[in-house]
Amino acid sequence: MIEFKNVTKIYSTGTEAVHNASFTIEKGEFAFLVGSSGSGKSTLIKLILKEEEANKGNIIINGKDITFLKPKRVPFLRRSMGVVFQDFRLLPDKTVYENVAFAMYIVKATPRHIRRQVPMVLSLVGLSNKAKCYPNELSGGEQQRVALARALVNNPTMIIADEPTGNLDPVTAWDIMNLLNEINARGTTVVMATHAQDIVDKMKKRVIQIDKGIIVRDDKKGGYNSEIQ
Amino acid sequence: MRYNSFTYLLSEGFRNLFKNKKATMSSLVTMICAMFLFGIFFAIGENVNTIMEQVNMAQGMEVFIDIDATDEEISELGNKIRSLGGVNSATLKTKQEALDSVKDELKDFQTLLEGFEGVFPASYIVTLTDLNLSEQVKSEILQMENVDEIMSSDQTIELLIKIANGVRVAIAVIFVLLIIIAITIISNTIKLTVHARRKEISIMKYVGATNSFIRGPFIVEGIIIGIIAALITVCIVGVLYNVIIEKIESSMILQQMQVSLLQFQDLSRYILIVYAVLGIGIGIVGSSISMRKYLEV
Ligand SMILES: Nc1ncnc2c1ncn2[C@@H]1O[C@H](COP(=O)(O)OP(=O)(O)O)[C@@H](O)[C@H]1O
Ligand SMILES: [Mg+2]
C-alpha cells in the first residue's frame, strides 16, 4: 500500500529532513508517525503526497512506484488519498456542503452522485445539521470533521492526516480519533502524523517513530514511549 | 448549489474580477488604451487603402493600341487584358473618342486638328484591383501584340503605395506592442488574484484537482477582461471615428480628390473580430503565464 525504500529527502536549504527511511504500511492498517517537532513527520507526509520529491530511494503507493511520477499524474495519485491537516484548510466562502461537494466536483463526479454522496459522509461525521453553515460558524472540531468528510467523500483507499488534532482541545481531539478509528474499521488505511503522546498511547496502533529524520522505532502495537527494541 | 462546468467557470471568473477591483480596472484601462491605438491606426490604414482603390479606379492606366490594328485585333486585345490577374476593367476608347477628347481640350483651336484626324490611336483604360500589381500588369500588357505604349500616373500611385505600406508597418508594430503590453498587464492582474487565492489553489491541489481545472477560472477572468475592453474600445473608436470622418468629409480636400472615406460600419466587423481574438488570446496567454509559479505544488 505505502512502501518507503531507503528514502532520503534533503531540502534545498541543505536540511536533511528524512534519512534512509524504509517501512511498509499495509492496506487497512492504522499507523502513527510520531516524533518531536522538526523530526520530519510532515516531510514524510509530503513525500507520500508527492508534494516533495525524494532525493534518494523509492516510494511505492498502491503498487505503483511514484518516484518518477509525471507532474501531470500527481492529481490522480492524490485522488486515491484523503488528506487532513492541522489547520483544516476549508474554503471560507463555501458552505460545509459546498466544501465537501467541491472535492467531488473536482474529480468530475456526476451531480446525482454528488447529491447522494455528500449527505452520506456529512452524516458519517455527524454534521448533517450544519450543512448550510460556513466554516467560520463552526467550532474547530466541527471544521476538522468537515475536512474529514471532504477527505472521505471520494472513497479514497487511505486517509493521510498531518497532526489533525493539533489545533483541538482533548475532548474534541478524541471525537476526531474515534472517527478515524471508525473509518479505519471500514477498511480504509489511516496514516497519521502526530506528537500527541496520550492519543498514541491509548490507541494501541502501529507506531513509526522518527527522530532527526531517522526511523528509530517501528512498533506494531506500541505506545508513544515504549522502549526502543 | 449545482455544479456545472460552464456556470462554475463563469461565476468563478467573475468572482475573481470583483475580488480584485483595482487591478481589474487598471488592466481594463490599459487594454482599452492599447486597443484604442490599434483601432485608430487600423482605421487610418483601411481608409488609405480605400482611397488608393478609388484613385486607381478613377485614373487607371492607358494602353495605347497600334494605329493600324483592326477592330478584331483591338477587341481580342481587350479580352486578353481583361483575363490578366489583377485587372479590374478595361474600357475601350476608340480613335474617334480619342479625337473627340483632344478636340474638347483644344476647344477654340480645333482647326489645328484638320488633317490629323487619323493620328490619334485607340486605347484601353485599364483599372486594377490592386495597385501593387501595377508594374506586373504593365509588363504583361507590353508583351501583347498591337500594344504601342502605356501611360499611367506613376507618381501618384507610387506615393499612395508608399503611404499605404508605411501605415501597414505602423499597424504591425502597434499590433505587436499592443499584444505585449496587454499580456503583461493581464498576467499581472491575474497574478494578484492567483496570489489572493493561493490558499484555495493549494486546497484544490490536495483534493486532486488537475492544473487545467484550477487554471480554468483564471483564464475566464482574463477572457472577460479582454472582451469587456474590446466592447468599450469599439464604442469609443466608433463615436470618435464618426466625428472625425464628418469633419474630414466636409473639408475641401476630399471633395477635390473625389474620394470618399469608409463608414464605421464598414470597419466595425473587422475591428470586432480582431478585438475578440485579441481579448480571448491575451486572456489565455496572460493567465497561463501568471499561473505557472502557483501550479508547482
Ligand atoms: N520547505 C522546507 N524547506 C527547508 N527545510 C524544511 C522545509 N520543510 C521542513 N524543513 C525542515 O525539515 C525538518 C523536518 O521538518 P518537518 O518535516 O516539518 O518536521 P515535523 O513535521 O516533524 O515537525 C525541519 O528541520 C524543518 O526545518
Ligand atoms: Mg509537521
Side-chain angles (χ1 to χ4, degrees):
Chain A
M1 172 115 304
I2 300 175
E3 189 181 355
F4 273 54
K5 283 191 199 164
N6 307 101
V7 174
T8 294
K9 169 67 192 175
I10 304 167
Y11 284 108
S12 52
T13 54
T15 311
E16 190 181 37
V18 173
H19 177 79
N20 201 26
S22 297
F23 58 86
T24 305
I25 298 170
E26 299 295 343
K27 185 171 161 43
E29 249 189 297
F30 193 128
F32 285 113
L33 299 174
V34 303
S36 53
S37 180
S39 56
K41 305 181 295 294
S42 294
T43 304
L44 284 178
I45 299 268
K46 284 175 183 167
L47 288 168
I48 296 173
L49 296 175
K50 194 83 178 158
E51 189 182 331
E52 293 290 350
E53 299 273 337
N55 298 79
K56 271 194 214 128
N58 295 71
I59 299 168
I60 295 139
I61 307 275
N62 289 334
K64 242 190 110 173
D65 192 331
I66 64 161
T67 319
F68 299 106
L69 193 68
K70 288 198 190 100
K72 263 201 142 125
R73 302 299 308 168
V74 171
F76 301 96
L77 167 75
R78 291 185 184 160
R79 288 174 194 188
S80 66
M81 34 185 102
V83 200
V84 181
F85 295 97
Q86 180 172 359
D87 56 356
F88 321 135
R89 302 198 187 172
L90 302 175
L91 298 171
D93 45 9
K94 285 186 163 47
T95 64
V96 166
Y97 182 96
E98 289 167 344
N99 262 286
V100 178
F102 192 63
M104 292 190 78
Y105 179 63
I106 279 174
V107 301
K108 299 198 169 67
T110 62
R112 250 187 78 201
H113 191 196
I114 295 177
R115 279 196 301 273
R116 218 178 30 207
Q117 181 79 357
V118 176
M120 222 168 74
V121 287
L122 283 181
S123 99
L124 177 70
V125 300
L127 281 180
S128 299
N129 56 336
K130 302 269 182 181
K132 289 202 172 76
C133 294
Y134 286 90
N136 63 2
E137 298 165 350
L138 302 178
S139 71
E142 285 167 336
Q143 289 188 51
Q144 195 59 300
R145 279 189 275 157
V146 179
L148 208 46
R150 180 181 62 193
L152 285 170
V153 77
N154 288 323
N155 287 320
T157 55
M158 57 185 106
I159 294 285
I160 311 292
D162 192 355
E163 313 234 13
T165 60
N167 279 357
L168 305 176
D169 61 74
V171 178
T172 329
W174 274 107
D175 285 348
I176 297 295
M177 289 320 299
N178 291 335
L179 261 174
L180 282 173
N181 212 2
E182 195 178 322
I183 291 160
N184 177 244
R186 291 166 183 232
T188 309
T189 313
V190 176
V191 179
M192 172 172 159
T194 184
H195 59 254
Q197 202 169 324
D198 59 316
I199 288 178
V200 178
D201 286 340
K202 287 201 184 108
M203 290 285 288
K204 298 267 181 287
K205 300 286 186 190
R206 178 173 175 193
V207 174
I208 298 170
Q209 188 172 346
I210 181 167
D211 185 29
K212 296 196 188 76
I214 298 167
I215 307 247
V216 292
R217 182 165 66 109
D218 189 345
D219 199 344
K220 286 288 172 203
K221 284 238 181 312
Y224 195 95
N225 274 331
S226 318
E227 286 306 311
I228 295 173
Q229 291 139 336
Chain B
M1 174 179 61
R2 205 191 284 131
Y3 271 128
N4 151 310
S5 320
F6 187 69
T7 49
Y8 168 77
L9 284 174
L10 268 190
S11 67
E12 292 290 299
F14 272 107
R15 206 169 62 119
N16 284 352
L17 287 178
F18 287 111
K19 206 155 195 165
N20 227 318
K21 291 193 199 80
K22 256 193 201 150
T24 304
M25 278 313 286
S26 72
S27 64
L28 257 183
V29 170
T30 321
M31 278 285 274
I32 289 171
C33 290
M35 283 180 160
F36 176 77
L37 218 62
F38 170 77
I40 293 297
F41 269 81
F42 183 74
I44 293 174
E46 286 297 296
N47 274 301
V48 169
N49 276 344
T50 183
I51 289 173
M52 276 174 63
E53 266 167 37
Q54 291 173 53
V55 169
N56 178 48
M57 294 294 182
Q59 296 189 336
M61 56 175 98
E62 194 163 8
V63 178
F64 292 97
I65 303 164
D66 282 338
I67 204 98
D68 46 7
T70 64
D71 285 352
E72 271 158 40
E73 283 169 337
I74 290 175
S75 76
E76 194 190 330
L77 176 65
N79 290 335
K80 269 193 195 160
I81 292 176
R82 284 183 201 103
S83 70
L84 285 177
V87 169
N88 180 41
S89 69
T91 323
L92 180 64
K93 195 169 162 190
T94 60
K95 286 179 187 169
Q96 187 58 47
E97 283 163 346
L99 180 64
D100 289 346
S101 70
V102 177
K103 274 184 181 167
D104 270 357
E105 272 169 43
L106 291 176
K107 289 190 183 112
D108 299 337
F109 305 98
Q110 286 184 18
T111 45
L112 287 172
L113 287 174
E114 276 167 31
F116 289 97
E117 278 88 356
V119 303
F120 294 103
S123 63
Y124 276 108
I125 308 291
V126 177
T127 63
L128 301 176
T129 53
D130 182 355
L131 271 191
N132 286 311
L133 295 173
S134 156
E135 283 308 313
Q136 186 192 331
V137 169
K138 219 189 259 180
S139 71
E140 278 172 324
I141 292 177
L142 273 173
Q143 283 165 19
M144 292 175 180
E145 276 173 50
N146 300 315
V147 173
D148 184 24
E149 63 168 333
I150 297 180
M151 300 243 289
S152 61
S153 45
D154 282 339
Q155 283 159 335
T156 324
I157 290 176
E158 262 166 35
L159 181 67
L160 279 172
I161 289 178
K162 259 187 204 151
I163 294 175
N165 287 340
V167 171
R168 261 180 221 132
V169 170
I171 291 178
V173 170
I174 288 177
F175 197 69
V176 172
L177 282 181
L178 159 77
I179 290 176
I180 294 171
I181 292 171
I183 287 180
T184 317
I185 292 296
I186 288 210
S187 72
N188 272 331
T189 304
I190 292 174
K191 235 178 239 167
L192 289 178
T193 353
V194 171
H195 187 75
R197 296 187 65 179
R198 63 192 183 284
K199 233 180 114 184
E200 272 182 82
I201 291 176
S202 87
I203 292 172
M204 287 159 85
K205 298 220 65 153
Y206 283 123
V207 186
T210 55
N211 285 350
S212 54
F213 179 92
I214 296 172
R215 212 182 271 134
F218 296 98
I219 290 177
V220 170
E221 177 189 359
I223 292 176
I224 295 172
I225 293 178
I227 289 178
I228 294 176
L231 289 177
I232 294 175
T233 318
V234 164
C235 295
I236 297 176
V237 172
V239 170
L240 204 71
Y241 185 85
N242 283 334
V243 171
I244 292 174
I245 286 295
E246 215 170 290
K247 283 257 159 59
I248 295 179
E249 281 190 332
S250 61
S251 73
M252 289 303 289
I253 315 161
L254 283 180
Q255 286 167 12
Q256 276 173 357
M257 282 173 74
Q258 294 190 320
V259 293
S260 62
L261 297 175
L262 293 168
Q263 294 304 303
F264 188 66
Q265 290 87 289
D266 305 325
L267 290 173
S268 58
R269 187 166 13 124
Y270 295 106
I271 288 195
L272 262 177
I273 291 173
V274 171
Y275 283 175
V277 170
L278 269 183
I280 293 170
I282 290 170
I284 293 173
V285 176
S287 48
S288 306
I289 290 176
S290 58
M291 300 270 332
R292 255 192 322 220
K293 188 177 121 200
Y294 289 89
L295 289 176
E296 295 167 358
V297 175

